[in-house]
Amino acid sequence: MSKNLIEITNLKKEYLNGDVRISVLEKVNLNIMSGKLIALVGPSGSGKSTLLHLLALLDKPTSGSIKSFGVDVQKLTNAGKNKMIRENISIIFQNNNLLSDFTALENVAIPLIIRNENYKSSIEKASEILNKVNLKHRFEHFPSDLSGGEQQRVAIARAISMKPKLILADEPTGNLDTENSSLISDILFNYVKEEGSSLIIVTHDLKLANKAK
């Protein structure tokens, strides 16, 4: 059995802008083994986020193939893709995508509840993870009551609550100051080391990128 978590072969992604065909990714070949910490760097418009969205199963390639966890994702039904994401993949966006009508504790617990864990267990696990990211005092606060750094820590807590095999992070520190950026990157990297998960992070921050393997 392949040790590769992800196998990308001759990947191509194009978009149509009116009658103009724009090529974003061309002949991308990449194998990613389990337990790796990888940074995607490059100028804006070079296709970093596009590649991340393809790996997150949020978009489809124009041609080529992506195998995730030994499965050709192009052959999956929508239900199959949702199952793969639910069981294996967590995504962290720059704007955190927290649910505004739910508290920090509820935002972290919801993915666990969706995975059919009982409510009490989900809340207990969410509490434990928020403690790890130093947000014990913010359990009952809504996203609008939190600072940018706190919101992103909630988003990270939510992402790691499911113990994913793969974390995809798109500029998770892009809107944060140096102190919060360092704290959040440490939380992510420590989790990857402890759990043996893989992390692929899109970033313009070379200090952050240099922490990758």
Side-chain angles (χ1 to χ4, degrees), residues 108 192 200:
V108 178
V192 170
I200 303 176

Side-chain angles (χ1 to χ4, degrees), residues 80-163:
K81 289 180 181 179
N82 289 335
K83 184 174 186 290
M84 179 176 284
I85 294 170
R86 189 168 61 247
E87 295 180 352
N88 298 300
I89 302 172
S90 282
I91 308 162
I92 304 169
F93 297 99
Q94 184 175 349
N95 61 358
N96 65 64
N97 281 11
L98 298 179
L99 300 172
S100 61
D101 293 334
F102 293 85
T103 65
L105 188 62
E106 290 167 336
N107 263 283
V108 178
I110 284 171
L112 297 169
I113 295 169
I114 290 173
R115 280 172 53 163
N116 295 321
E117 295 200 27
N118 68 62
Y119 181 82
K120 183 179 178 182
S121 172
S122 297
I123 291 296
E124 288 174 353
K125 288 182 180 180
S127 300
E128 181 181 342
I129 294 166
L130 283 171
N131 277 332
K132 286 185 177 180
V133 298
N134 301 321
L135 286 176
K136 183 177 182 179
H137 60 301
R138 294 296 202 186
F139 282 5
E140 301 305 321
H141 289 244
F142 292 92
S144 59
D145 300 322
L146 304 176
S147 69
E150 288 171 336
Q151 289 181 31
Q152 199 64 315
R153 274 186 276 163
V154 173
I156 288 173
R158 180 179 61 185
I160 66 179
S161 68
M162 300 182 294
K163 296 187 179 297

Side-chain angles (χ1 to χ4, degrees), residues 5-45:
L5 193 71
I6 296 173
E7 298 179 11
I8 300 172
T9 305
N10 291 327
L11 189 67
K12 182 176 184 176
K13 182 61 182 178
E14 295 179 337
Y15 293 102
L16 281 177
N17 184 7
D19 294 330
V20 179
R21 190 175 295 276
I22 301 172
S23 179
V24 182
L25 298 172
E26 185 80 35
K27 296 182 181 178
V28 177
N29 293 278
L30 179 66
N31 290 336
I32 298 172
M33 296 180 67
S34 297
K36 294 298 182 182
L37 175 55
I38 295 169
L40 296 178
V41 298
S44 296

